[in-house]
Amino acid sequence: MAQQPDISVTIPIYNEEENIPLLYARVREALGKIGRPWELILVNDGSRDGSAARLDAIAAQDVRVTVIHLSRNYGQTAALMAGLDHASGAVVVPMDGDLQNDPDDIARMLARLDDGYDVVSGWRRNRKDAALRRNLPSRIANRLISAVSGVRLHDYGCSLKAYRREVLAGVKLYGEMHRFVPIFAAWNGARVTELEVAHHPRIHGQSKYGLERVVKVVLDLLVVKFLFKYANKPIYVFGGFGLAAIAFALSVLGLALGLKVAKGISLILTPLPTLAVILFAIGVLSILMGLLAEMLNRTYHESQAKPVYRIGRVARAPVNGDG
Ligand code: UDP
Ligand code: MG
């Protein structure tokens, strides 16, 4: 029987056959040095090369290793989600399977958690990827994510992070959202910090991503912001926009009437009345959509008995206490 793990390292694997043996050896060595019980969860995200067999061979000889084979390629975020769902350690450490992250950094991340943080996010300060195609867009994206989320990190995209397991409770990831987990955690009250980590060039295999990811990340950011800040009050967004559109429509109409009265310009000579009608209709529709969204939100929470809050801790005197 394997010991109850204290540290769960989880790694998504998609066509990384040449990296797997060294990856396992390096992770085992790094975790061995830390000296706390650990488990390694390798999630095979529908690899089409020899990864599956290599992973199975490792699982067969090491009880601390669990291999989860997804039925097809779902993408890195879903693979990470599968890893998180199966992790049982008090600390969960996701990282990449291509040896670009360095397992030797895990010890320093754990030390930061012990300093009282709930999330330690890696910062690949000296990133070893294509400068123009990868590093520059990611710099811009990181700035944007920081500004929108209000959580100040330099490198959301770094997979190597360390979480206290409690902050992951209830986290559900879609699309490219694995990079936003520290944001979810921070918004739910977690203490988040970052730590510079080593980054190595990819030696074997290919990166699975290009520029198109930036677009996905920006769209996901929009969804995250909306869902977290306004999912419980969609009418504030839709209704706010709707009221603004109606106010705009009324001022455009006022302008058209003003021109008519003051200068005798016929209403049909300017596009203003048309604009006013369009804006008014958009405003009304937006408010109606907000009401619809409010209904959806109630269905969401009430059909699944989902509370609108999350408990951090409950303090209560023991029943047989002397108080
Ligand atoms: N990965 C995955 N499913 C995918 C794409 C990637 O599990 O559909 C894994 C991949 O095997 C690696 C990690 O996610 O362990 C990061 O991928 P990659 O190195 O291609 O990303 P990059 O470092 O270029 O951002
Ligand atoms: Mg990589």
Side-chain angles (χ1 to χ4, degrees):
M1 260 305 285
Q3 230 177 328
Q4 168 60 30
D6 190 21
I7 305 164
S8 299
V9 175
T10 172
I11 306 181
I13 300 284
Y14 181 51
N15 297 344
E16 306 283 3
E17 70 177 324
E18 292 133 304
N19 291 312
I20 291 169
L22 185 57
L23 174 73
Y24 166 62
R26 296 274 323 273
V27 169
R28 194 180 55 179
E29 195 195 317
L31 293 174
K33 279 192 226 155
I34 295 171
R36 286 158 63 174
W38 55 271
E39 68 173 341
L40 173 60
I41 300 168
L42 296 159
V43 181
N44 173 19
D45 184 19
S47 297
R48 273 181 279 264
D49 62 355
S51 294
R54 295 212 173 168
L55 293 173
D56 284 342
I58 296 170
Q61 56 149 74
D62 190 337
V63 286
R64 297 164 299 188
V65 178
T66 304
V67 174
I68 297 167
H69 296 279
L70 301 187
S71 63
R72 63 165 169 89
N73 178 242
Y74 284 91
Q76 190 182 345
T77 296
L80 173 70
M81 196 68 224
L84 298 184
D85 286 343
H86 288 83
S88 56
V91 173
V92 183
V93 180
M95 61 180 270
D96 279 348
D98 55 2
L99 288 163
Q100 290 198 263
N101 295 136
D102 198 322
D104 288 330
D105 284 326
I106 296 174
R108 286 165 49 238
M109 301 193 110
L110 297 180
R112 289 305 284 275
L113 286 183
D114 291 338
D115 289 345
Y117 288 101
D118 301 305
V119 178
V120 182
S121 186
W123 174 14
R124 299 163 293 176
R125 188 163 203 174
N126 204 344
R127 191 169 164 186
K128 301 287 192 311
D129 280 320
L132 259 183
R133 208 170 56 86
R134 301 295 305 278
N135 296 357
L136 181 71
S138 119
R139 258 220 168 90
I140 300 169
N142 282 319
R143 286 270 168 84
L144 186 72
I145 298 170
S146 268
V148 172
S149 69
V151 180
R152 305 265 163 237
L153 293 179
H154 286 93
D155 187 8
Y156 291 91
C158 180
S159 301
L160 179 58
K161 296 182 166 98
Y163 301 100
R164 245 181 244 293
R165 135 176 234 91
E166 304 83 71
V167 304
L168 295 173
V171 167
K172 293 265 178 287
L173 306 176
Y174 304 85
E176 286 284 317
M177 287 183 188
H178 57 274
R179 71 197 60 242
F180 299 143
V181 179
I183 300 178
F184 296 141
W187 284 350
N188 282 321
R191 281 149 301 178
V192 179
T193 187
E194 69 183 347
L195 183 72
E196 278 181 42
V197 295
H199 194 240
H200 306 291
R202 209 187 227 281
I203 313 266
H204 298 293
Q206 283 167 4
S207 169
K208 278 82 195 172
Y209 301 105
L211 258 182
E212 80 290 346
R213 184 160 63 174
V214 178
V215 180
K216 295 185 185 169
V217 167
V218 169
L219 292 175
D220 279 344
L221 179 64
L222 200 73
V223 174
V224 165
K225 177 85 179 185
F226 177 75
L227 285 184
F228 260 74
K229 293 291 173 188
Y230 300 107
N232 280 333
K233 252 4 256 171
I235 190 74
Y236 291 171
V237 173
F238 289 99
F241 178 80
L243 289 178
I246 289 174
F248 197 31
L250 293 179
S251 38
V252 168
L253 186 67
L255 180 63
L257 290 175
L259 287 174
K260 166 85 180 159
V261 172
K263 301 195 173 166
I265 299 175
S266 163
L267 284 179
I268 55 164
L269 274 181
T270 72
L272 293 175
T274 316
L275 185 62
V277 169
I278 291 173
L279 282 169
F280 191 83
I282 290 175
V284 170
L285 283 177
S286 180
I287 292 172
L288 292 178
M289 280 203 292
L291 293 173
L292 207 57
E294 288 285 339
M295 285 170 63
L296 282 176
N297 183 44
R298 277 156 185 70
T299 312
Y300 172 77
H301 279 97
E302 287 162 26
S303 66
Q304 304 178 58
K306 270 189 195 294
V308 292
Y309 56 82
R310 260 175 71 177
I311 294 175
R313 207 165 62 83
V314 176
R316 188 185 278 142
V319 178
N320 297 319
D322 29 37

